[in-house]
PDB file of all heavy atoms in Angstrom:
ATOM      1  N   ARG A 283       6.521  67.517 -39.075  1.00 68.00           N
ATOM      2  CA  ARG A 283       5.507  68.552 -38.849  1.00 68.00           C
ATOM      3  C   ARG A 283       4.955  68.425 -37.449  1.00 68.00           C
ATOM      4  O   ARG A 283       4.780  67.325 -36.934  1.00 68.00           O
ATOM      5  CB  ARG A 283       4.358  68.424 -39.866  1.00 68.00           C
ATOM      6  CG  ARG A 283       4.774  68.703 -41.300  1.00 68.00           C
ATOM      7  CD  ARG A 283       3.579  68.628 -42.233  1.00 68.00           C
ATOM      8  NE  ARG A 283       3.036  67.269 -42.301  1.00 68.00           N
ATOM      9  CZ  ARG A 283       1.976  66.947 -43.038  1.00 68.00           C
ATOM     10  NH1 ARG A 283       1.363  67.862 -43.746  1.00 68.00           N
ATOM     11  NH2 ARG A 283       1.542  65.704 -43.058  1.00 68.00           N
ATOM     12  N   SER A 284       4.650  69.545 -36.829  1.00 68.00           N
ATOM     13  CA  SER A 284       4.099  69.535 -35.482  1.00 68.00           C
ATOM     14  C   SER A 284       2.657  69.052 -35.527  1.00 68.00           C
ATOM     15  O   SER A 284       1.911  69.361 -36.456  1.00 68.00           O
ATOM     16  CB  SER A 284       4.150  70.947 -34.889  1.00 68.00           C
ATOM     17  OG  SER A 284       3.381  71.013 -33.701  1.00 68.00           O
ATOM     18  N   ILE A 285       2.255  68.305 -34.505  1.00 62.00           N
ATOM     19  CA  ILE A 285       0.871  67.840 -34.447  1.00 62.00           C
ATOM     20  C   ILE A 285      -0.090  68.988 -34.146  1.00 62.00           C
ATOM     21  O   ILE A 285      -1.300  68.834 -34.300  1.00 62.00           O
ATOM     22  CB  ILE A 285       0.688  66.736 -33.383  1.00 62.00           C
ATOM     23  CG1 ILE A 285       1.083  67.236 -31.994  1.00 62.00           C
ATOM     24  CG2 ILE A 285       1.446  65.491 -33.760  1.00 62.00           C
ATOM     25  CD1 ILE A 285       0.790  66.244 -30.889  1.00 62.00           C
ATOM     26  N   THR A 286       0.440  70.138 -33.724  1.00 63.00           N
ATOM     27  CA  THR A 286      -0.425  71.272 -33.399  1.00 63.00           C
ATOM     28  C   THR A 286      -0.649  72.197 -34.587  1.00 63.00           C
ATOM     29  O   THR A 286      -1.388  73.168 -34.479  1.00 63.00           O
ATOM     30  CB  THR A 286       0.180  72.089 -32.239  1.00 63.00           C
ATOM     31  OG1 THR A 286       1.500  72.533 -32.612  1.00 63.00           O
ATOM     32  CG2 THR A 286       0.273  71.254 -30.989  1.00 63.00           C
ATOM     33  N   ASP A 287       0.000  71.921 -35.728  1.00 65.00           N
ATOM     34  CA  ASP A 287      -0.234  72.796 -36.877  1.00 65.00           C
ATOM     35  C   ASP A 287      -1.558  72.422 -37.538  1.00 65.00           C
ATOM     36  O   ASP A 287      -2.284  71.549 -37.094  1.00 65.00           O
ATOM     37  CB  ASP A 287       0.943  72.762 -37.861  1.00 65.00           C
ATOM     38  CG  ASP A 287       1.105  71.426 -38.577  1.00 65.00           C
ATOM     39  OD1 ASP A 287       0.130  70.643 -38.599  1.00 65.00           O
ATOM     40  OD2 ASP A 287       2.198  71.174 -39.114  1.00 65.00           O
ATOM     41  N   THR A 288      -1.893  73.096 -38.607  1.00 65.00           N
ATOM     42  CA  THR A 288      -3.191  72.887 -39.253  1.00 65.00           C
ATOM     43  C   THR A 288      -3.102  71.934 -40.433  1.00 65.00           C
ATOM     44  O   THR A 288      -3.972  71.920 -41.304  1.00 65.00           O
ATOM     45  CB  THR A 288      -3.754  74.240 -39.730  1.00 65.00           C
ATOM     46  OG1 THR A 288      -2.796  74.864 -40.612  1.00 65.00           O
ATOM     47  CG2 THR A 288      -4.027  75.161 -38.555  1.00 65.00           C
ATOM     48  N   ALA A 289      -2.067  71.152 -40.484  1.00 70.00           N
ATOM     49  CA  ALA A 289      -1.873  70.228 -41.600  1.00 70.00           C
ATOM     50  C   ALA A 289      -3.038  69.250 -41.703  1.00 70.00           C
ATOM     51  O   ALA A 289      -3.605  68.819 -40.699  1.00 70.00           O
ATOM     52  CB  ALA A 289      -0.569  69.456 -41.425  1.00 70.00           C
ATOM     53  N   GLN A 290      -3.381  68.901 -42.926  1.00 83.00           N
ATOM     54  CA  GLN A 290      -4.436  67.929 -43.175  1.00 83.00           C
ATOM     55  C   GLN A 290      -3.814  66.529 -43.229  1.00 83.00           C
ATOM     56  O   GLN A 290      -3.443  66.036 -44.280  1.00 83.00           O
ATOM     57  CB  GLN A 290      -5.156  68.263 -44.492  1.00 83.00           C
ATOM     58  CG  GLN A 290      -5.852  69.604 -44.513  1.00 83.00           C
ATOM     59  CD  GLN A 290      -6.995  69.670 -43.502  1.00 83.00           C
ATOM     60  OE1 GLN A 290      -7.816  68.769 -43.422  1.00 83.00           O
ATOM     61  NE2 GLN A 290      -7.042  70.733 -42.723  1.00 83.00           N
TER      62      GLN A 290
END
Side-chain angles (χ1 to χ4, degrees):
R283 294 183 294 179
S284 168
I285 59 174
T286 58
D287 68 19
T288 57
Q290 298 296 313

